[in-house]
Amino acid sequence: MSNDFVFGLHAVQAIVERSPQDVLEVFVSKERDDKRMHPLVQQLRQQGIAVQFCHRKTLDNLVQGQHQGIVAKVRLAQAGSDADLMAIVEQQAAPLLLVLDGVTDPHNLGAILRSADAAGVHAVVVPKDRSVKLTPVVRKVACGAAETVPFIAVTNLARALRQLQEAGVWVIGTAGETEQTLYQTELTGPLAIVLGAEGDGLRRLTRETCDALVKIPMHGSVSSLNVSVAAGICLFEAVRQRLLS
């Protein structure tokens, strides 16, 4: 466990509801006096969590980003490991995993976590190196999803993918140059969808490890989508197919 800050109404409320014992103290702006803040402050006090009212400038100095007048100092669990990932796979009859090969933008990761939560993803997997971690900005953008979706950081991504394959998980990578489209691909059963980094796409070894490569068909003038948008499209196509199967 490590201490860090979580900020924003939704992010703070999510961790208070899920793990109130990990909330050490909360700082609330004196300038924030409205009906959205009052219930949360009351909830904090009912949980016995210390609340300090301070000037907005104090919150500005604590975190970088739109804190919405509330910042919580919390104990945060570290990302899960390779062993945690395999335990999740073993617990699910048809696990749905999202693998991110080097996503570095915290806003993208936060948006991806929101989509993953909505789609019922069992874990989001990233490499330990060359990828964004669960920063305060990620948690703010995720609006609570960072506290609900298991986040796994693996030492070697290609090796983790091979372990998933050995466990019966079908690994589908996304690549714009392939001929097969997302909508021509069966996405039911144990599945890991792999998306590449912003701009660079999948690394060579990751690409070679995938069981198949698919693309989202593009009909306009742009050649690619933002990775968070692509993640949402892929995940909900998988959800659609699973509901119909």
Side-chain angles (χ1 to χ4, degrees), residues 4-145:
D4 208 337
F5 292 108
V6 170
F7 59 90
L9 283 165
H10 292 295
V12 172
Q13 185 159 21
I15 198 165
V16 170
E17 291 176 351
R18 187 174 179 85
S19 305
Q21 72 278 4
D22 293 328
V23 182
L24 304 177
E25 58 184 329
V26 177
F27 304 90
V28 177
S29 171
K30 291 180 178 179
E31 293 86 350
R32 186 69 194 260
D33 185 19
D34 56 67
K35 61 183 181 180
R36 292 186 66 196
M37 186 65 74
H38 286 166
L40 181 50
V41 171
Q42 184 177 10
Q43 184 179 7
L44 290 166
R45 286 173 168 162
Q46 289 173 346
Q47 295 280 3
I49 298 169
V51 180
Q52 293 191 35
F53 291 91
C54 49
H55 292 293
R56 185 179 184 88
K57 183 65 175 176
T58 302
L59 304 187
D60 293 341
N61 292 334
L62 287 176
V63 297
Q64 299 294 320
Q66 296 297 321
H67 50 66
Q68 298 178 306
I70 187 166
V71 176
K73 185 177 182 180
V74 299
R75 285 189 296 262
L76 296 175
Q78 301 301 307
S81 65
D82 300 62
D84 296 319
L85 174 60
M86 299 315 298
I88 289 171
V89 170
E90 291 173 2
Q91 292 166 4
Q92 303 296 329
L96 175 59
L97 308 172
L98 181 62
V99 181
L100 306 175
D101 185 15
V103 170
T104 57
D105 187 309
H107 293 87
N108 280 338
L109 179 57
I112 288 168
L113 287 170
R114 289 185 70 177
S115 295
D117 176 78
V121 166
H122 296 109
V124 171
V125 183
V126 302
K128 283 185 178 179
D129 300 324
R130 295 184 298 277
S131 65
V132 67
K133 307 301 186 291
L134 287 179
T135 66
V137 172
V138 171
R139 293 179 184 276
K140 166 65 166 56
V141 175
C143 291

Side-chain angles (χ1 to χ4, degrees), residues 94-98 111-124 145 148-149 193 231-240 242-243:
L96 175 59
L97 308 172
L98 181 62
I112 288 168
L113 287 170
R114 289 185 70 177
S115 295
D117 176 78
V121 166
H122 296 109
V124 171
T148 60
V149 180
I193 299 173
I233 292 171
C234 293
L235 288 176
F236 279 94
E237 173 59 16
V239 169
R240 185 191 70 81
R242 287 162 180 257
L243 290 173

Side-chain angles (χ1 to χ4, degrees), residues 163-214:
Q163 290 174 336
L164 290 174
Q165 290 167 328
E166 291 169 2
V169 177
W170 187 248
V171 178
I172 301 292
T174 54
E177 70 277 8
T178 189
E179 292 301 318
Q180 184 172 342
T181 74
L182 175 72
Y183 307 114
Q184 296 168 333
T185 307
E186 183 177 345
L187 303 175
T188 59
L191 177 69
I193 299 173
V194 189
L195 287 92
E198 303 94 340
D200 296 331
L202 298 178
R203 289 178 292 172
R204 179 188 59 80
L205 189 55
T206 304
R207 181 189 304 258
E208 292 174 354
T209 306
C210 292
D211 292 305
L213 297 175
V214 302

